[in-house]
């Protein structure tokens, strides 16, 4: 258990759905927001709302200070040496696209190494640049449980490998990839490494200097922050390799009629008015998570996984995908003979919110050789009772479709 009951911090969790207490198990899609985050956003709009980095007046100075303070919090949270290395973007998707479109030194024949189960956000941008610049995509082999075959991965690396882009935690299988080893091997051939941290940064301590990654992308909304704000971290030299692809206000140092010079990092890569309230909300979310402690969150989510696994396994006809051992706080599964969308609809009738589909990772479903799965994903505010409710609702779904043992 967590040492304190945090449920009261989340007003949204105090409701019923179809007459049943809401059991929110769709945290990999997005997480709920504590009062501290809601108040930080409202407080900014009530007291400090102004544009940043331009106004001389008091509100402008306050807004700028709070926005940049949020950047400091982000940097401290992931152990970035400098806040200048943390670029505010919309989300993980934009962070990855920013690297894909801004990287200025692609050479025809360069290779990008991925896993075959990446989220579309860490696949499609690379397909696009590969097409445009004549690059080749290579895919790491996986072991039957979804872990990366590290020997097979290392064999793919060569002097043409320009970038390795890999998810830290799979949003479909819950596998936790050995990113530090992946980075070390890639660096031996001089390749850069981008870590998709969408499903790791919210759930475990992630320290960029320990991982030694060149880029890290993550989203605020998956870690108790608001939607519309995310982060691209980069090593200074890796960010210097990015040529802005959005031009306009905020990113400009000086302009004449025919040319312009950019500001320094991080603003060079943040054209236009940023999501100020979003950054402040993300800062409040980071404060909130830090008060609980990321080590505590990872420990408690492991308890939830250990509690859920045998109970799910006991359900006849339920097949769980992904690793048998350590996994992140999510389970993708199918109930034999029942379409995942039907399962999710029936669970919703019981107040249980899960996701069904390919989870924006269609190649992962192909790899599993299923069209779709049901996914229950946990966060620190979930309880053992909620897992019982999930298991009971799955039992009902099975009975409803006539699969009683
Ligand atoms: N996965 C899910 O339900 P955005 O949408 O940009 O905040 O995050 C994209 C993304 C990138 N990588 C991984 C590993 C992800 O899981 C996600 C988002 C959600 O699985 C929504 S599709």
């Amino acid at each position: 258990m967590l040492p304190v009951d945090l449920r009261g911090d989340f007003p949204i969790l105090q409701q019923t759905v179809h007459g049943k207490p809401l059991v929110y198990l769709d945290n990999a899609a997005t997480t709920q927001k504590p009062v501290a985050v809601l108040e930080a956003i409202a407080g900014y709009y009530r007291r400090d709302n102004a544009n940043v980095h331009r106004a001389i007046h008091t509100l402008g100075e306050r807004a700028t200070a709070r926005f940049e303070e949020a950047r400091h919090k982000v940097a401290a949270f992931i152990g970035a040496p400098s806040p200048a290395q943390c670029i505010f973007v919309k989300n993980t998707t934009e962070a990855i696209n920013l690297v894909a479109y801004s990287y200025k030194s692609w050479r025809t024949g360069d290779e990008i190494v991925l896993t075959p189960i990446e989220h579309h956000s860490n696949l499609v941008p690379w397909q696009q640049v590969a097409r445009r610049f004549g690059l080749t995509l290579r895919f790491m082999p996986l072991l039957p449980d979804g872990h990366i075959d590290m020997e097979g991965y290392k064999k793919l690396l060569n002097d043409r490998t320009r970038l390795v882009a890999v998810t830290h935690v799979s949003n479909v299988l819950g596998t936790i990839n050995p990113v530090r080893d992946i980075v070390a091997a890639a660096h031996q051939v001089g390749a850069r490494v981008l870590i998709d941290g969408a499903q790791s940064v919210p759930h475990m301590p992630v320290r960029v200097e320990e991982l030694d990654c060149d880029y890290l992308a993550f989203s605020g909304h998956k870690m108790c922050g608001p939607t519309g704000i995310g982060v691209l971290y980069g090593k200074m030299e890796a960010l210097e390799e990015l040529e802005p692809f959005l031009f306009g206000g905020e990113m400009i140092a000086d302009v004449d009629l025919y040319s312009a010079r950019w500001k320094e990092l991080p603003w060079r890569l943040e054209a236009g008015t940023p999501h100020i309230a979003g950054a402040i909300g993300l800062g409040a979310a980071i404060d909130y998570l830090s008060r609980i402690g990321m080590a505590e969150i990872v420990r408690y989510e492991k308890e939830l996984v250990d509690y859920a696994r045998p109970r799910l396994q006991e359900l006849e006809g339920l097949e769980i995908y992904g690793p048998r051992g350590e996994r992140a706080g999510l389970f993708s599964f199918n109930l034999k003979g029942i379409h995942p969308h039907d399962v999710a609809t029936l669970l919703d009738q019981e107040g249980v919110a899960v996701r069904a589909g390919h989870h924006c990772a269609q190649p992962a479903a192909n790899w599993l050789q299923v069209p779709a799965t049901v996914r229950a994903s946990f966060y620190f505010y979930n309880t053992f009772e909620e897992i019982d409710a999930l298991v009971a609702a799955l039992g009902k779904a099975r009975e409803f479709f006539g699969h009683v043992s």
Side-chain angles (χ1 to χ4, degrees):
M1 294 287 283
L2 279 179
V4 279
D5 182 8
L6 302 165
R7 299 279 297 184
D9 294 343
F10 293 83
I12 201 169
L13 298 176
Q14 322 297 323
Q15 63 181 296
T16 54
V17 169
H18 302 301
K20 311 275 169 53
L22 169 65
V23 174
Y24 185 78
L25 299 177
D26 195 15
N27 294 289
T30 199
T31 57
Q32 301 303 348
K33 322 302 174 199
V35 171
V37 169
L38 304 178
E39 282 180 351
I41 296 166
Y44 160 71
Y45 280 125
R46 279 171 187 271
R47 288 186 305 271
D48 305 328
N49 178 46
N51 213 325
V52 290
H53 301 139
R54 51 194 103 200
I56 303 294
H57 56 74
T58 302
L59 294 195
E61 280 172 7
R62 262 196 240 149
T64 304
R66 294 195 64 190
F67 180 69
E68 291 303 330
E69 183 192 26
R71 198 190 306 275
H72 277 78
K73 289 178 185 178
V74 168
F77 190 66
I78 58 169
S82 159
Q85 293 168 259
C86 299
I87 316 296
F88 282 127
V89 290
K90 272 206 313 254
N91 46 35
T92 306
T93 305
E94 186 176 291
I96 296 171
N97 275 276
L98 175 58
V99 177
Y101 284 95
S102 308
Y103 185 70
K104 52 190 176 193
S105 318
W106 297 118
R107 289 177 310 220
T108 307
D110 279 350
E111 296 182 359
I112 299 176
V113 177
L114 308 164
T115 78
I117 57 165
E118 293 301 315
H119 188 279
H120 297 160
S121 297
N122 197 30
L123 171 64
V124 182
W126 308 120
Q127 293 175 346
Q128 292 302 309
V129 290
R131 208 163 285 164
R132 189 181 306 169
F133 295 102
L135 317 178
T136 304
L137 301 185
R138 320 261 332 242
F139 293 94
M140 303 178 199
L142 300 185
L143 301 171
D145 68 352
H147 279 117
I148 292 165
D149 169 355
M150 288 297 283
E151 287 314 306
Y153 158 60
K154 286 177 193 163
K155 284 190 194 135
L156 291 180
L157 298 171
N158 62 67
D159 58 5
R160 290 183 307 278
T161 312
R162 183 51 58 104
L163 181 82
V164 174
V166 62
T167 195
H168 194 170
V169 168
S170 161
N171 67 319
V172 178
L173 299 179
T175 38
I176 305 168
N177 287 324
V179 281
R180 197 201 298 221
D181 297 343
I182 291 171
V183 170
H187 282 173
Q188 288 204 341
V189 295
R192 295 232 175 264
V193 183
L194 179 146
I195 307 287
D196 174 348
Q199 301 293 351
S200 62
V201 174
H203 297 275
M204 57 183 69
V206 173
R207 313 296 295 171
V208 287
E209 286 201 302
E210 272 171 37
L211 299 181
D212 198 28
C213 55
D214 300 287
Y215 304 105
L216 172 75
F218 57 99
S219 298
H221 70 95
K222 294 187 198 289
M223 50 190 286
C224 294
T227 51
I229 189 79
V231 175
L232 174 70
Y233 155 84
K235 281 184 184 167
M236 239 0 167
E237 62 273 22
L239 291 175
E240 295 294 354
E241 285 172 358
L242 305 182
E243 188 65 33
F245 83 113
L246 290 173
F247 304 98
E250 282 284 304
M251 51 84 66
I252 277 306
D254 65 290
V255 188
D256 59 38
L257 277 184
Y258 295 100
S259 64
R261 279 144 301 279
W262 322 143
K263 274 188 188 159
E264 72 251 39
L265 288 164
W267 306 291
R268 187 161 67 84
L269 296 173
E270 292 179 354
T273 301
H275 186 7
I276 306 163
I280 291 168
L282 175 57
I286 285 174
D287 287 342
Y288 185 84
L289 295 176
S290 303
R291 276 197 294 276
I292 304 169
M294 294 311 291
E296 195 57 15
I297 288 175
V298 81
R299 188 196 58 73
Y300 178 60
E301 286 187 21
K302 189 174 175 317
E303 276 185 30
L304 290 174
V305 166
D306 290 345
Y307 185 83
R309 189 197 309 260
R311 288 162 178 79
L312 290 171
Q313 274 167 343
E314 266 170 26
L315 282 166
E316 202 193 300
L318 187 136
E319 184 180 4
I320 299 175
Y321 305 105
R324 286 174 196 279
E326 190 192 25
R327 66 159 63 218
L330 66 87
F331 287 93
S332 280
F333 54 84
N334 269 314
L335 266 180
K336 199 169 173 208
I338 314 178
H339 195 281
H341 286 150
D342 293 334
V343 175
T345 304
L346 273 156
L347 292 191
D348 181 57
Q349 292 302 310
E350 299 298 313
V352 180
V354 294
R355 187 170 173 187
H358 54 55
H359 315 297
C360 300
Q362 217 173 333
N366 294 344
W367 184 83
L368 287 170
Q369 298 183 315
V370 294
T373 67
V374 184
R375 185 188 67 191
S377 52
F378 312 145
Y379 210 15
F380 58 83
Y381 42 67
N382 288 125
T383 63
F384 299 109
E385 292 74 25
E386 289 184 312
I387 289 168
D388 292 340
L390 166 71
V391 172
L394 285 168
K396 272 197 184 174
R398 213 169 41 123
E399 275 173 38
F400 182 86
F401 283 97
H403 290 261
V404 197
S405 54

